[in-house]
């Protein structure tokens, strides 16, 4: 799909719809109205930012071999199981940092971007702890609760976890997970009360409800959470204002009601601070998380992105400037190999302008999103070509690069 054409089609259809309710007969008013729509006042030009490359550092299977994770995790956490092509699950550096924090019973917050595996940053250590805990005490109980701001997120996460459980016979899964959000039938709720899952997926309103009402089923669900070990707040940045205060009080009630003296609180979040410096951003996140969790967190408990270049690190923008004009003239972009893509002058320019920023005194960070026109102007200046040539060439490249895959089969 050409996302640029899709956006133009979508905006065009909406513009036609929004103008279909009236017919302007006055020429001067109609001309003014046409100019306002043409100026993109009602739908500004889209911002462009490519997802940066997260640094990889080992696999789940290596951690199992080293004795860091429970042996069952090796078969459990594999990719391609549903497709019949199981493979080792590679981990990002921030996921390894999260595993280490959880194993030391430290609360933490993961603030990384889309596609960075934030969910695995808590599910891997939580499930590892559950598997080890069940060896010492096999009595059925709920050891972890994951709170989502929307039911759709809980539903989606349940589907993702089912992929890891694919292939295990019924009743022989290494861990159990159930959803309890208010969407369940009375039979499903009773089944959860009768057979407590290791992990409970819910939302904060439902959890508040079952803590306060006297329904027998709900009370048994809560009772099975006694000595709760993990509480996860997904999308931490959504809890602000009055809702944030409500959730903060809920966390404190959970700790008291469930007698969770050693509760590990985990949060995942998009960026919660606009500060330029990483340590300032982490401190701001830690302050908010401390208020929500009711337990002190420092900047060292905030796990951010560790980025690295996907294109040839020995080449920068200045080295590819003489090659950009010819690259922009290509009618279509194809690459015989991933190494060829890494050396493509346009790929290097795009990553260093739209993907990753390399400040001299800070770790690599994701580039700020800019408009297509701004990106095209910057590219035209570096390539020494017309703006239209740069814009058209950039669009063609981005659409083609979307289908590029690394030798491991993932998007670069």
């Amino acid at each position: 799909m050409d996302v640029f054409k899709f956006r133009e089609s979508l905006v065009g259809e909406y513009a036609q719809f929004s103008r279909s309710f009236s017919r302007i007969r006055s020429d001067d008013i109609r001309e003014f109205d046409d100019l306002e729509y043409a100026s993109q006042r009602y739908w500004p030009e889209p911002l462009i930012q490519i997802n940066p490359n997260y640094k990889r550092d080992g696999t789940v299977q290596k951690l199992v071999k080293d004795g860091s994770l429970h042996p069952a995790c090796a078969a459990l956490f594999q990719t391609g199981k549903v497709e019949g092509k199981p493979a080792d699950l590679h981990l990002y550096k921030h996921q390894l940092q999260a595993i280490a924090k959880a194993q030391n019973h430290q609360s933490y917050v993961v603030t990384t971007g889309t596609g960075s595996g934030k969910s695995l940053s808590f599910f891997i250590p939580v499930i590892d702890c559950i598997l080890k805990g069940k060896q010492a005490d096999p009595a059925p109980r709920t050891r972890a609760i994951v709170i989502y701001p929307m039911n759709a997120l809980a539903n989606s996460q349940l589907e993702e976890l089912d992929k890891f459980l694919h292939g295990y016979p019924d009743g022989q899964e290494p861990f159990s997970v159930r959803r309890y959000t208010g969407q369940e039938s009375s039979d499903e709720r009773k089944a959860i009360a009768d057979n407590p899952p290791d992990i409970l997926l819910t939302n904060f309103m439902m959890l508040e409800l079952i803590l306060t009402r006297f329904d027998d089923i709900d009370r048994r669900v809560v009772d099975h959470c006694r000595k709760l070990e993990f509480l996860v707040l997904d999308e931490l940045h959504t809890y602000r204002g009055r809702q944030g205060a409500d959730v903060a009080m809920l966390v404190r009630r959970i700790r008291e009601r469930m007698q969770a003296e050693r509760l590990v609180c985990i949060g995942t979040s998009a960026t919660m601070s606009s500060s330029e410096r990483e340590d300032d951003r982490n401190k701001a996140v830690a302050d908010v998380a401390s208020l929500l969790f009711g337990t002190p967190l420092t900047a060292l408990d905030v796990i951010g992105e560790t980025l690295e270049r996907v294109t040839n690190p020995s080449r920068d923008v200045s080295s590819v400037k003489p090659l950009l004009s010819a690259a922009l003239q290509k009618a279509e972009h194809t690459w015989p190999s991933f190494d060829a893509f890494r050396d493509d002058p346009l790929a290097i320019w795009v990553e260093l302008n739209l993907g990753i920023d390399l400040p001299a005194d800070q770790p690599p960070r994701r580039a700020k999103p800019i408009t297509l026109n701004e990106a095209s102007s910057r590219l035209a200046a570096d390539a020494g070509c017309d703006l239209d040539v740069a814009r058209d060439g950039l669009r063609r490249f981005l659409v083609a690069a979307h289908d590029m895959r690394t030798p491991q089969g993932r998007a670069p």
Side-chain angles (χ1 to χ4, degrees):
M1 177 186 292
D2 186 328
V3 66
F4 298 103
K5 290 181 179 178
F6 175 76
R7 186 258 177 190
E8 290 166 359
S9 174
L10 186 65
V11 168
E13 290 181 10
Y14 189 76
Q16 185 178 13
F17 168 76
S18 66
R19 305 179 76 178
S20 65
F21 296 97
S22 59
R23 179 179 300 175
I24 302 175
R25 297 186 179 277
S26 173
D27 292 339
D28 56 341
I29 296 177
R30 185 172 60 253
E31 181 179 350
F32 177 81
D33 186 62
D34 290 340
L35 289 174
E36 289 295 290
Y37 272 88
S39 70
Q40 300 191 41
R41 173 182 178 180
Y42 304 112
W43 25 76
E45 189 178 7
L47 297 174
I48 298 178
Q49 181 190 54
I50 63 172
N51 217 25
N53 184 50
Y54 304 101
K55 182 177 178 62
R56 289 176 177 258
D57 196 359
T59 65
V60 167
Q61 288 65 32
K62 183 177 185 301
L63 291 180
V64 170
K65 186 176 180 180
D66 294 343
S68 299
L69 293 177
H70 188 278
C73 290
L76 183 61
F77 291 106
Q78 292 181 308
T79 61
K81 293 171 72 173
V82 177
E83 297 79 12
K85 299 178 180 179
D88 289 357
L89 178 61
H90 289 264
L91 297 174
Y92 297 124
K93 185 174 181 179
H94 59 264
Q95 292 171 330
L96 287 174
Q97 292 172 322
I99 292 171
K101 286 278 187 185
Q103 290 182 337
N104 287 327
H105 293 91
Q106 293 176 268
S107 297
Y108 62 89
V109 178
V110 179
T111 60
T112 57
T114 303
S116 63
K118 285 196 289 289
S119 295
L120 288 180
S121 295
F122 61 82
F123 273 125
I124 291 176
V126 165
I127 291 170
D128 170 62
C129 183
I130 288 171
L131 295 176
K132 293 174 180 175
K134 290 170 74 171
Q135 283 184 324
D137 178 13
R141 65 185 179 90
T142 297
R143 300 170 186 263
I145 295 177
V146 186
I147 301 175
Y148 296 93
M150 295 185 296
N151 287 348
L153 294 174
N155 298 341
S156 173
Q157 201 61 71
L158 188 61
E159 292 177 3
E160 291 302 311
L161 288 173
D162 283 342
K163 293 179 183 178
F164 289 117
L165 292 171
H166 179 79
Y168 290 95
D170 288 344
Q172 299 183 31
E173 297 89 348
F175 73 94
S176 58
V177 57
R178 296 291 182 271
R179 183 194 64 193
Y180 204 80
T181 59
Q183 306 170 77
E184 297 74 30
S185 65
S186 58
D187 289 341
E188 289 174 319
R189 291 171 54 223
K190 184 177 183 302
I192 293 173
D194 292 339
N195 301 286
D198 299 312
I199 302 173
L200 193 68
L201 310 183
T202 187
N203 58 66
F204 71 92
M205 294 184 68
M206 187 63 183
L207 191 51
E208 179 82 54
L209 187 62
I210 65 175
L211 281 171
T212 55
R213 67 186 181 187
F214 292 91
D215 179 90
D216 177 65
I217 288 178
D218 291 334
R219 292 185 68 178
R220 283 194 289 146
V221 170
V222 172
D223 288 342
H224 289 315
C225 297
R226 187 172 289 117
K227 301 298 182 182
L228 188 72
E229 297 174 33
F230 291 95
L231 180 67
V232 181
L233 286 178
D234 194 37
E235 305 291 343
L236 198 66
H237 54 279
T238 62
Y239 302 117
R240 61 186 68 185
R242 178 176 176 178
Q243 181 171 290
D246 289 342
V247 171
M249 293 299 297
L250 173 62
V251 173
R252 287 154 176 81
R253 282 194 291 274
I254 289 171
R255 185 178 279 110
E256 180 180 1
R257 173 75 179 275
M258 299 177 181
Q259 302 173 15
E261 294 89 358
R262 300 190 66 200
L263 184 65
V264 174
C265 294
I266 302 172
T268 69
S269 176
T271 302
M272 296 174 65
S273 171
S274 59
S275 175
E276 288 293 320
R277 296 191 61 83
E278 183 182 37
D279 50 355
D280 292 336
R281 293 195 301 271
N282 289 350
K283 184 181 183 305
V285 173
D287 290 344
V288 173
S290 297
L291 289 173
L292 283 170
F293 292 151
T295 189
L297 276 80
T298 71
L300 297 177
D301 297 317
V302 178
I303 301 172
E305 303 171 334
T306 302
L307 307 179
E308 64 180 0
R309 288 183 58 178
V310 70
T311 57
N312 190 338
S314 66
R315 306 182 70 184
D316 58 11
V317 172
S318 61
S319 70
V320 300
K321 279 184 179 181
L323 308 173
L324 291 174
S325 181
L328 288 168
Q329 301 294 333
K330 292 182 179 180
E332 58 182 49
H333 296 274
T334 58
W335 301 273
S337 66
F338 184 66
D339 285 338
F341 174 81
R342 293 179 71 242
D343 274 323
D344 187 296
L346 262 181
I348 294 169
W349 188 94
V350 166
E351 181 177 39
L352 294 178
N353 282 272
L354 304 178
I356 190 170
D357 185 21
L358 303 172
D361 61 340
Q362 290 283 303
R365 61 192 181 196
R366 60 178 55 230
K368 293 182 179 179
I370 58 177
T371 65
L372 176 61
N373 189 60
E374 183 180 350
S376 302
S377 299
R378 191 183 297 180
L379 179 56
D382 286 341
C385 65
D386 292 338
L387 178 61
D388 289 342
V389 172
R391 180 186 293 108
D392 293 342
L394 179 59
R395 286 178 51 155
R396 288 195 301 273
F397 172 84
L398 290 174
V399 171
H402 179 266
D403 295 326
M404 189 64 192
R405 292 294 180 268
T406 68
Q408 293 77 32
R410 60 184 176 86

